[in-house]
């Protein structure tokens, strides 16, 4: 077992290169299973959810070879639908994309219930309703299953809310309906939707409207190989921006798209952080005197281009130490507040009722070192930020949650001056072991 050990109170100075976006790499990896030719994917982040996805795909006959630590060659010619390994599917949310891929490939799907970070119920009803409009009969019991005896056909789908996962799954399924024109209304507009569309277009599918709320997918008989570079991870970049705001210092994030971070930049600027964007829009410099010098702010999470839910916990950590009373209202994942219980161990003051969607932070607190347990990926990132600005030493157990989405977190933070390390946790000796050793 491992944990993170962080000694707080150091400013951050230097440069952090941002890795490729996890939530873009995942659907694009699964999209390769639609393609019999080789795709070269560049800027793939070394995060645990990517590794799990690769393991699932390899298990299902897809060939995945590393050319460099960030460049993969993926060939889906050997893809065997209906052979996904349950325990890995249950581990990540992105495995839900197998439904779209399997239905497109063989008119059937049968996967375990996809897992992922646990913040309340994470339904898949938009996905299944869309596949039903496209000709499949879907069932969710102990597994996700579906059958389209005549194969999928195109359709017009109106999503109740702009779900990222449902938009992606429909795009994947629609890609291999030759001659079909599938329309998605109220589609998600996140940058990773645009990235997936660019990838599919490079493979010979025609996707129009990605980045707007109406997407049209013109399916292809076959996909062909291509080379595609994954976009930079806006949530990773945003997390480091908040870390610098919290600890103070001056850090330049390279390979970061400032356009994707407008909501985050706007809130940081409102708090008094200096955020400078390079002229080409590909690097961002954050300058701060530390959390105590920053003003309170009110945050409401929303679909892109609104404030990202995946940045909510990191901001919450910052708001505990900045001046005044701040609020965070979570509108996407009502149960995303589990991390607060852990953050409380640093001595911060907030109020949040079990069922409420708003947490209030009474700022100006001096955070103390604490022993925390990472509850989920972004909650874990919030604990890292709290520990970095805290006084004394903190430990964070279950760092594997953080590994799901942060590429080389320790290396990147250490190189800008943080005192952070991954250490082994030794279990206490049982009486029996002590007797053997003595
Ligand atoms: N929803 C439904 N029914 C559905 C699908 C979604 O009601 O069939 C609801 C959800 O309950 C939620 C909202 O729609 O309230 C949005 O869910 P969405 O489908 O957009 O989320 P997702 O695709 O499951 C992805 C990211 C999450 C990120 C959300 C929102 C991946 C693998 N995951 O999840 O990322 O929070 O979009 O932006 O792309 C993370 O990286 O830490 C993470 C959790």
């Amino acid at each position: 077992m491992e944990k993170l050990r962080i000694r707080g109170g150091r400013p951050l100075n230097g440069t952090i290169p941002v890795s490729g976006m996890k939530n873009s790499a995942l659907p694009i990896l699964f999209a390769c299973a639609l393609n019999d030719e080789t795709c070269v994917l560049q800027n793939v982040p070394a995060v645990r959810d990517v590794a799990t996805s690769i393991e699932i795909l390899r298990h299902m006959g897809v060939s995945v070879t590393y050319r460099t630590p960030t460049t993969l060659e993926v060939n889906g010619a050997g893809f065997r639908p209906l052979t996904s390994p349950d325990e890995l599917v249950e581990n990540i949310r992105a495995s839900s994309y197998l439904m779209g891929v399997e239905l497109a490939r063989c008119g059937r799907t049968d996967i375990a219930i996809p897992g992922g970070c646990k913040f309340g119920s994470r339904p898949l009803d938009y996905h299944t309703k869309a596949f039903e409009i496209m000709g499949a009969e879907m069932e969710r019991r102990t597994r996700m299953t579906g059958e389209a005896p005549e194969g999928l056909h195109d359709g017009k789908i109106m999503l109740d809310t702009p779900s990222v996962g449902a938009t992606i799954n429909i795009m994947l399924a629609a890609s291999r309906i030759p001659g079909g024109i599938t329309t998605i209304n109220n589609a998600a507009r996140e940058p990773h939707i645009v990235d997936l569309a660019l990838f599919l277009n490079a493979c010979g599918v025609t996707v129009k409207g990605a980045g707007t709320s109406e997407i049209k997918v013109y399916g292809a008989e076959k996909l062909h190989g291509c080379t595609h570079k994954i976009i930079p991870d806006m949530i990773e970049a945003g997390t480091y921006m908040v870390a610098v705001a919290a600890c103070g210092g001056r850090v330049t994030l390279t390979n970061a798209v400032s356009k994707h971070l407008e909501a985050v930049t706007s809130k940081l600027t409102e708090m008094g952080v200096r955020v400078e964007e390079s002229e080409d829009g590909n690097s961002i410099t954050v300058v701060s005197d530390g959390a105590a010098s920053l003003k309170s702010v009110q945050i409401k999470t929303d679909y892109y281009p609104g404030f990202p839910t995946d940045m909510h916990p990191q901001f919450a950590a910052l708001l505990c130490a900045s001046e005044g009373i701040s609020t965070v209202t979570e509108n996407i994942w009502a149960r995303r507040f589990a991390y607060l219980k852990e953050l409380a161990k640093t001595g911060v003051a907030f109020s949040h009722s079990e069922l409420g969607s708003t947490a209030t932070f009474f700022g100006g607190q001096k955070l103390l070192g604490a022993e925390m347990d990472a509850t989920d990926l972004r909650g874990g990132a919030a604990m890292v930020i709290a520990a970095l600005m805290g006084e004394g030493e903190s430990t964070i157990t279950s760092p594997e949650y953080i590994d799901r989405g942060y590429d080389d977190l320790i290396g990147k933070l250490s190189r800008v001056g943080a005192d952070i390390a991954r250490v082994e946790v030794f279990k206490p000796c049982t009486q029996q072991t002590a007797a053997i050793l003595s």
Side-chain angles (χ1 to χ4, degrees):
M1 224 169 73
E2 291 177 325
K3 63 182 177 182
L4 300 184
R5 194 221 57 224
I6 298 171
R7 295 190 186 112
R10 294 166 168 240
L12 304 177
N13 286 292
T15 302
I16 299 180
V18 176
S19 296
M21 180 149 188
K22 166 183 83 87
N23 288 346
S24 187
L26 298 174
I28 290 175
L29 270 166
F30 283 102
C32 290
L34 292 166
N35 197 330
D36 290 341
E37 295 184 15
T38 299
C39 294
V40 177
L41 305 182
Q42 300 166 332
N43 204 31
V44 179
V47 297
R48 203 162 65 93
D49 279 9
V50 163
T52 306
S53 302
I54 291 173
E55 220 181 319
I56 292 174
L57 289 167
R58 281 185 175 147
H59 186 96
M60 299 180 82
V62 175
S63 148
V64 185
T65 319
Y66 273 91
R67 266 198 199 168
T68 72
T70 54
T71 303
L72 295 179
E73 265 183 23
V74 192
N75 185 301
F79 179 66
R80 295 184 302 272
L82 314 176
T83 61
S84 56
D86 291 353
E87 66 286 3
L88 297 181
V89 169
E90 284 163 359
N91 205 261
I92 56 168
R93 177 73 173 175
S95 56
S96 59
Y97 303 143
L98 280 172
M99 287 193 288
V101 172
E102 288 189 333
L103 284 168
R105 277 289 204 166
C106 76
R108 277 182 65 198
T109 184
D110 182 352
I111 62 169
I113 306 284
C117 284
K118 291 179 182 50
F119 24 76
S121 113
R122 295 186 69 175
L124 289 166
D125 56 319
Y126 301 166
H127 304 235
T128 54
K129 278 185 214 156
F131 294 143
E132 279 170 359
I133 291 170
M134 296 167 82
E137 273 180 36
M138 302 296 297
E139 193 169 80
R140 176 180 182 151
R141 290 205 179 169
T142 52
R143 304 176 63 77
M144 304 296 309
T145 57
E147 198 158 358
E150 313 284 319
L152 291 178
H153 55 71
D154 59 5
K156 281 191 190 333
I157 293 137
M158 164 63 98
L159 294 175
D160 288 351
T161 59
S163 153
V164 170
T167 303
I168 288 172
N169 234 339
I170 300 164
M171 287 167 74
L172 296 177
S175 293
R176 287 215 34 181
I177 304 176
I181 308 173
T182 302
T183 308
I184 313 170
N185 279 308
N186 200 21
R189 290 179 285 162
E190 270 72 0
H192 30 302
I193 301 288
V194 178
D195 205 26
L196 173 64
L198 289 173
F199 170 76
L200 291 171
N201 286 342
C203 295
V205 181
T206 303
V207 181
K208 292 185 179 167
T212 74
S213 53
E214 184 180 271
I215 296 178
K216 281 188 191 297
V217 182
Y218 300 73
E221 174 87 46
K222 280 180 104 180
L223 273 59
H224 55 72
C226 74
T227 297
H228 180 82
K229 187 171 178 186
I230 307 288
I231 54 167
D233 195 317
M234 62 183 195
I235 304 299
E236 187 202 17
T239 302
Y240 292 126
M241 289 169 79
V242 175
V244 180
C247 297
R250 180 191 182 92
V251 168
T252 298
L253 299 162
T254 56
N255 189 33
V257 182
S258 46
K259 175 92 190 110
H260 298 167
L261 283 150
E262 278 171 351
V264 169
T265 298
S266 152
K267 284 295 161 193
L268 287 175
T269 309
E270 194 182 330
M271 292 179 77
V273 180
R274 217 166 90 209
V275 181
E276 296 161 1
E277 297 169 358
S278 66
E279 247 171 56
D280 64 4
N282 290 330
S283 80
I284 301 169
T285 299
V286 181
V287 186
S288 166
D289 289 332
S293 68
L294 302 176
K295 294 193 288 278
S296 63
V297 80
Q298 320 307 318
I299 288 173
K300 291 183 177 149
T301 66
D302 203 349
Y303 298 98
Y304 187 85
F307 186 92
T309 171
D310 292 344
M311 283 303 303
H312 139 190
Q314 302 89 315
F315 263 81
L318 173 63
L319 299 179
C320 294
S322 49
E323 276 304 312
I325 298 176
S326 299
T327 56
V328 176
T329 302
E330 175 55 58
N331 293 314
I332 313 292
W333 302 116
R335 297 276 167 277
R336 195 166 204 164
F337 289 97
Y339 70 91
L340 281 177
K341 196 161 61 67
E342 297 300 310
L343 222 50
K345 296 176 181 169
T346 62
V348 298
F350 58 81
S351 82
H352 173 249
S353 77
E354 184 81 355
L355 296 174
S357 60
T358 299
T360 304
F361 298 92
F362 306 100
Q365 306 294 313
K366 208 171 179 86
L367 277 68
L368 304 171
E371 287 180 20
M372 294 174 274
D373 186 47
T375 46
D376 64 86
L377 166 56
R378 309 302 173 189
M383 290 167 215
V384 170
I385 291 169
L388 288 173
M389 63 177 154
E391 202 176 279
E393 185 170 304
S394 292
T395 55
I396 302 173
T397 49
S398 312
E400 60 276 9
Y401 280 107
I402 303 171
D403 298 339
R404 294 184 89 119
Y406 289 94
D407 182 354
D408 190 24
L409 176 96
I410 293 172
K412 289 183 185 186
L413 282 173
S414 302
R415 287 190 285 277
V416 292
D419 185 346
I420 176 169
R422 188 182 287 265
V423 294
E424 278 291 329
V425 181
F426 296 105
K427 283 195 184 146
C429 228
T430 61
Q431 272 184 356
Q432 206 178 8
T433 330
I436 296 168
L437 292 175
S438 64

